Amino acid sequence: MKGLVLPRLRELLLHENKISKIEGLDGCPRLQRLWLNCNAIREIEGLHIVGDLRELWLQNNFIVTVMGLDSLYHLREICLGGNQIDCFSDCNLRCLSVLPSIRSVSFEDVYHGPNPVCKQTGYRAFIMRQLKH
């Protein structure tokens, strides 16, 4: 993804590309939809430069924590099914509460399966409390 200079690009669909790191999006300032599902991403990073992002698909990667989203004020939907997120501690999922536009958060996906956190008692209630605006 390095070196993209597409200032008018709104959608970037890069699923199933063996991408291991989110980077090189500084040339896409108007990006609104980013699909990076089915890659090799371990960490949510490098998204602070696409502040207009509204939809982020990260299913079926190797993500263990939900961090790196705090600058995405316009983010409405994030899909994280099939990753390795295994706890809903304050530091792991509380970052969702600072996203003013968020409307849909998915930790479980019919095609990619659930995260381990989905099997823990009380996780849904915790997520709902985080998303109350």
Side-chain angles (χ1 to χ4, degrees):
M1 291 185 352
K2 291 182 180 179
L4 289 177
V5 182
L6 301 165
R8 293 186 178 177
L9 186 69
R10 301 284 178 142
E11 296 183 6
L12 185 58
L13 311 179
L14 293 172
H15 48 286
E16 299 180 6
N17 277 286
K18 299 180 184 173
I19 296 168
S20 60
K21 187 173 184 177
I22 303 171
E23 60 185 352
L25 295 173
D26 47 334
C28 307
R30 294 188 180 165
L31 195 62
Q32 293 183 351
R33 176 182 289 172
L34 180 59
W35 288 8
L36 293 170
N37 48 310
C38 301
N39 279 293
I41 298 166
R42 296 186 180 280
E43 187 175 337
I44 301 172
E45 59 185 343
L47 295 174
H48 61 283
I49 50 182
V50 287
D52 203 26
L53 196 64
R54 293 157 200 243
E55 182 179 309
L56 179 60
W57 285 21
L58 291 169
Q59 304 101 312
N60 202 25
N61 279 285
F62 302 103
I63 297 167
V64 296
T65 185
V66 183
M67 301 291 219
L69 301 171
D70 52 340
S71 63
L72 300 178
Y73 302 115
H74 299 287
L75 189 66
R76 294 179 186 157
E77 177 182 359
I78 184 166
C79 301
L80 292 160
N83 280 289
Q84 305 301 315
I85 301 165
D86 64 358
C87 71
F88 57 89
S89 66
D90 289 348
C91 61
N92 192 14
L93 300 178
R94 191 167 298 267
C95 67
L96 298 172
S97 66
V98 301
L99 301 173
S101 301
I102 198 77
R103 297 295 175 256
S104 175
V105 177
S106 171
F107 289 96
E108 189 169 355
D109 186 284
V110 68
Y111 299 107
H112 304 288
N115 281 274
V117 71
C118 297
K119 297 176 181 148
Q120 293 185 21
T121 303
Y123 112 91
R124 287 182 193 265
F126 182 85
I127 298 299
M128 294 304 291
R129 283 194 305 273
Q130 297 308 305
L131 296 178
K132 281 189 175 179
H133 294 289

